[in-house]
Amino acid sequence: MTAIPLVALVGNPNAGKSALFNALTGARQKLGNYPGVTVERKSGRISLDDGRPVELVDLPGTYSLDPTSPDEQVTRDVILGRQEGERLPDALVIVVDASNLDNHLRFALELIALGLPTIVALNMVDLATRDGLELDANTLSADLGVPVIATVAVRKRGLDHLRGALEGMLDGGPRQLRPSVPDIGFDARRAEARRIARAAIVTETPSRRLTAAVDRVALHPVMGLVVLLSLLFVMFQAVYAWSQPPITMIEGWAAAAADAASAALPDGLLRSFLVDGVINGVGSVIVFLPQILILFFFILMLEATGYMTRAAFMMDGLMARVGLSGRAFIPLLSSFACAVPGIMATRTISDPKDRLTTILIAPLMTCSARLPVYAVIIGAFIPAQTVGPGIGLQGLVLFILYVAGIIGALIVALILRVTVTKGKSSGFLMEMPKYQFPRIQDILIGLWQRAVIFLKRAGTIIFASTVILWLLLSFPKPPVGSNVSPVDYSIAGRIAGGLNVVMEPIGFNRDISLALIPAMAAREVAVSALATVYSLEANDDEAALERSLGDRLKGRWSLPTALAFLAWFVFAPQCISTIAVTRRETNGWRWPAFMVGYLFALAYCAAGITFWIATAAGL
Amino acid sequence: MRLHLFPLRQPGYIDSVDWSVLSASEGQRLREFGVCEGASIEALHRGGLMGRGPLACKVGRMTIAMRRNHAEAIDVRSGPETPAQ
């Protein structure tokens, strides 16, 4: 059996490659990693009109085959057949932005010279027309010597043509690169690209009026900052405001499932395992899926519209002062959703010390896994009142927690840049793509992929830690007639009792110490762990079981303890995935160990200071 | 006139670039963005308060952001692009 033909989608950043990939593959995509590196491998299967399947792989965008960062290196290695775990592609689809031909054709010429079967997708022709540019694909094809297909990711016709052209291209035997490619050199290629682009242009009028108009506001030193901060504020308010109806719905389902299980099973270990361990534990985390998706929705929108690079531009001045560049802002903003993709996104930073610093501070950005923790504590201890028109106190507290993380990150970056990652500050060079309306399909595919990842986590890491915690909490049982609580008597209770000696000075109680042990796996486990502890403790008390976790916490924790718990989570490094991705990105245990150490120290101090101040203030 | 001093939103073209003050990777990236002698350029926005932030400019049909040290290496003349390049 011969392998399915492999077609690589390649091109400059911002050529609309991913939108084209989504349009061709739909939701049938596979996310993975290239072996040995954390560069994401995105692939999908499509069927040609004659029914033949083809594997399409979306390569990271790059400007040339001369890489300056790890992801650009993967693109080069795949195309040259040198990437471990990937065979030489059978054909290339070079995606070029129709309104930026001069520049994109230079890279296209470099790729065509390799001698692989190649098609050029002249992408985003609709935006080019909007910008007053009309192009002749036939002239372009004649000059380049390869088929050129005009495409717009949302229109079916161009996609059909592209598939048709691929069909003809994939007949024939195994591929090989042209031996000893005669390289004409960068400058000659640029001149040639320019000549070809000029010949293909039919009419041209001044360009980018929309983008220029928006940028006058978005990049203005004062107005631009107002826009950026407003967007971030709306984002965090929306996480609360929009999520309530779906959360209530999921809570309803979890309660119904717990009731059904309680009714169907006799009182005993199995019922306790299912209701206290599985349904209460995992359910208390799944309930946060709406908030996580809202956060990812905003981040995907900021990226898809082209605003993200403007945010980086606005932040460069500030980032430069702590020894980083505006480019680091993008991975850091992604880290608000999750530090794992955030740390992976640092591979676009070419300066190694810049990149290391960004990796080390990424966990300080408030990731979505902290949301469940914040949401429960804020919901229980911060009154739901307004402090101004459209500003809720709970949303405001959440905003302050995010800001605390950011300020902490900037201070840590500043300290790191003059100590462990000392070195010359790197520059800031970035392309700013034109603005465009995001495609609903792209956003939905992105959200779907995030939802699957989150639910998989809930089904594996969170499920396993909840079950282990339930076991540790349930055994051994206290002797009959003893008045020691079952939780205190259990293995987990005893471990927590020991840990509590260290945690008590910063205001933490035994239950928190208990929750922090399984929360080493993932931060949101703290919530399911507390839910399991209190669910087990309530045991036969029907009234207590009816109450939500928030209500139960309110009765047991003082306000200073709750605030200290929040402060702990601003800094705490509890996430195995983040530690693992840091190890992979930095090739060793040295930096993840350093990261975990400094974050724990910070978390301990922050929680302690918060507790002492709150207690002194009589809260 | 050096690009960082060049007035905003005025068409110009690149007269010369002092590649020696740029690192190899910065030089490569700027070239890949289309920065070269003779290319049309227009400074669009200065970021940050008191002009301490980066500079956004249009090179050919592309908008790019760079820092002041890069702009200082680029010598610009006003007027339309030279046809002979």
Side-chain angles (χ1 to χ4, degrees):
Chain A
M1 203 186 94
T2 50
I4 296 174
L6 180 71
V7 174
L9 223 54
V10 54
N12 284 46
N14 307 310
K17 218 161 38 62
S18 294
L20 193 62
F21 178 75
N22 286 342
L24 284 166
T25 60
R28 289 158 300 172
Q29 297 182 6
K30 235 172 79 186
L31 291 180
N33 273 304
Y34 288 102
V37 282
T38 42
V39 176
E40 201 170 63
R41 181 184 189 275
K42 237 167 108 182
S43 67
R45 265 195 201 182
I46 59 167
S47 297
L48 298 180
D49 295 337
D50 58 8
R52 262 186 304 172
V54 167
E55 188 181 9
L56 205 61
V57 58
D58 184 16
L59 295 177
T62 177
Y63 294 97
S64 68
L65 289 177
D66 217 348
T68 59
S69 64
D71 60 338
E72 294 180 5
Q73 202 165 334
V74 164
T75 299
R76 183 201 60 189
D77 290 346
V78 170
I79 292 170
L80 298 181
R82 291 190 210 149
Q83 177 64 46
E84 191 193 336
E86 190 82 278
R87 59 213 150 98
L88 180 71
D90 295 287
L92 299 180
V93 174
I94 306 174
V95 187
V96 297
D97 174 3
S99 51
N100 201 355
L101 268 190
D102 289 26
N103 210 287
H104 289 193
L105 282 184
R106 182 186 45 69
F107 182 34
L109 285 172
E110 191 177 4
L111 292 167
I112 292 169
L114 297 172
L116 286 172
T118 299
I119 298 170
V120 168
L122 186 60
N123 203 20
M124 307 203 279
V125 278
D126 55 338
L127 290 184
T129 315
R130 181 188 84 183
D131 285 351
L133 195 65
E134 202 188 316
L135 297 161
D136 182 359
N138 292 331
T139 311
L140 198 56
S141 174
D143 271 330
L144 292 172
V146 298
V148 174
I149 316 279
T151 51
V152 178
V154 276
R155 306 233 177 98
K156 197 171 165 292
R157 220 173 53 182
L159 300 181
D160 288 344
H161 286 170
L162 192 59
R163 270 191 296 264
L166 266 178
E167 219 173 286
M169 196 111 318
L170 291 171
D171 300 327
R175 314 293 172 192
Q176 54 184 37
L177 294 169
R178 188 174 289 165
S180 66
V181 179
D183 189 12
I184 58 170
F186 187 92
D187 291 327
R189 250 196 318 272
R190 180 173 55 203
E192 178 69 357
R194 209 175 144 80
R195 185 191 67 74
I196 296 175
R198 291 290 129 127
I201 292 172
V202 181
T203 54
E204 184 180 18
T205 51
S207 67
R208 292 185 143 200
R209 272 163 297 192
L210 172 75
T211 295
V214 178
D215 272 347
R216 269 181 205 218
V217 179
L219 298 183
H220 188 274
V222 180
M223 284 187 289
L225 205 58
V226 173
V227 169
L228 176 61
L229 292 178
S230 311
L231 271 174
L232 293 180
F233 189 76
V234 168
M235 178 164 123
F236 297 128
Q237 284 286 329
V239 163
Y240 256 83
W242 299 358
S243 62
Q244 284 319 308
I247 285 180
T248 313
M249 205 167 70
I250 297 174
E251 275 175 348
W253 292 341
D259 285 347
S262 297
L265 295 167
D267 193 11
L269 265 187
L270 181 65
R271 185 167 112 178
S272 169
F273 169 72
L274 267 181
V275 176
D276 302 327
V278 179
I279 299 175
N280 270 324
V282 177
S284 61
V285 172
I286 289 183
V287 105
F288 296 98
L289 183 63
Q291 295 188 325
I292 286 161
L293 290 185
I294 292 169
L295 195 62
F296 268 114
F297 169 77
F298 274 92
I299 287 180
L300 290 169
M301 287 290 280
L302 293 181
E303 273 177 357
T305 50
Y307 180 76
M308 201 65 125
T309 54
R310 272 70 185 185
F313 181 88
M314 292 307 298
M315 296 307 289
D316 183 62
L318 178 65
M319 302 297 272
R321 268 177 235 189
V322 298
L324 291 173
S325 84
R327 202 172 253 286
F329 183 72
I330 299 174
L332 292 179
L333 193 59
S334 305
S335 300
F336 281 125
C338 175
V340 173
I343 287 174
M344 284 169 67
T346 61
R347 59 187 190 228
T348 59
I349 301 173
S350 45
D351 182 88
K353 284 186 172 160
D354 231 13
R355 181 153 169 261
L356 179 60
T357 314
T358 312
I359 290 173
L360 291 175
I361 63 168
L364 286 171
M365 299 294 123
T366 301
C367 69
S368 51
R370 286 178 179 111
L371 263 181
V373 182
Y374 288 172
V376 162
I377 306 296
I378 290 176
F381 292 91
I382 309 294
Q385 63 192 48
T386 54
V387 286
I391 303 170
L393 183 60
Q394 294 185 331
L396 186 68
V397 169
L398 186 68
F399 187 68
I400 292 170
L401 289 170
Y402 276 86
V403 172
I406 297 167
I407 294 173
L410 293 178
I411 295 172
V412 171
L414 191 63
I415 296 169
L416 290 177
R417 284 303 257 161
V418 294
T419 53
V420 287
T421 59
K422 203 167 166 175
K424 188 178 159 281
S425 171
S426 71
F428 172 63
L429 280 170
M430 199 169 63
E431 181 185 350
M432 301 170 94
K434 51 188 169 295
Y435 289 107
Q436 48 184 311
F437 287 103
R439 297 178 52 234
I440 302 289
Q441 193 196 352
D442 292 343
I443 303 290
L444 289 181
I445 289 176
L447 284 179
W448 167 249
Q449 286 167 345
R450 300 304 156 197
V452 168
I453 292 171
F454 176 77
L455 290 176
K456 267 193 191 154
R457 248 163 87 90
T460 53
I461 298 180
I462 296 168
F463 176 75
S465 5
T466 312
V467 168
I468 293 170
L469 180 69
W470 174 84
L471 281 171
L472 293 178
L473 276 168
S474 301
F475 299 100
K477 296 273 180 216
V480 183
S482 148
N483 51 8
V484 181
S485 96
V487 168
D488 280 339
Y489 198 80
S490 69
I491 301 176
R494 293 175 206 194
I495 299 175
L499 191 63
N500 205 28
V501 177
V502 189
M503 302 311 256
E504 210 167 11
I506 60 167
F508 284 11
N509 54 33
R510 187 214 58 185
D511 305 335
I512 297 180
S513 301
L514 236 171
L516 289 182
I517 304 168
M520 274 313 295
R523 294 180 182 91
E524 61 269 46
V525 171
V527 173
S528 58
L530 286 171
T532 305
V533 174
Y534 289 130
S535 178
L536 280 171
E537 281 206 334
N539 214 351
D540 298 322
D541 183 354
E542 286 292 328
L545 268 175
E546 293 283 303
R547 283 185 292 157
S548 71
L549 177 59
D551 289 339
R552 286 184 218 166
L553 292 178
K554 225 189 295 193
R556 288 163 178 270
W557 294 13
S558 67
L559 182 57
T561 292
L563 294 177
F565 190 65
L566 288 177
W568 171 275
F569 272 92
V570 170
F571 300 104
Q574 291 136 319
C575 173
I576 285 180
S577 315
T578 304
I579 297 168
V581 80
T582 306
R583 197 205 74 83
R584 216 164 35 168
E585 283 291 314
T586 58
N587 294 322
W589 282 111
R590 186 173 158 219
W591 292 113
F594 173 80
M595 188 172 91
V596 170
Y598 100 78
L599 286 173
F600 264 133
L602 265 181
Y604 192 85
C605 296
I609 291 167
T610 308
F611 180 72
W612 301 322
I613 290 178
T615 308
L619 291 177
Chain B
M1 189 188 282
R2 298 281 155 173
L3 178 59
H4 67 285
L5 302 170
F6 202 67
L8 293 181
R9 288 176 212 105
Q10 188 181 310
Y13 65 95
I14 300 175
D15 195 33
S16 65
V17 183
D18 184 359
W19 300 108
S20 67
V21 298
L22 300 166
S23 74
S25 65
E26 286 174 329
Q28 184 195 328
R29 198 32 49 97
L30 280 173
R31 265 189 249 258
E32 287 169 349
F33 284 164
V35 171
C36 64
E37 283 81 0
S40 68
I41 193 162
E42 185 185 338
L44 293 175
H45 307 276
R46 282 198 181 92
L49 300 167
M50 298 172 295
R52 288 171 62 155
L55 176 74
C57 44
K58 200 168 123 180
V59 179
R61 280 188 159 263
M62 207 157 143
T63 308
I64 61 172
M66 63 174 80
R67 279 204 183 144
R68 188 189 163 109
N69 64 315
H70 307 123
E72 280 171 357
I74 300 172
D75 211 12
V76 183
R77 277 175 194 273
S78 60
E81 168 178 12
T82 44
Q85 61 104 17

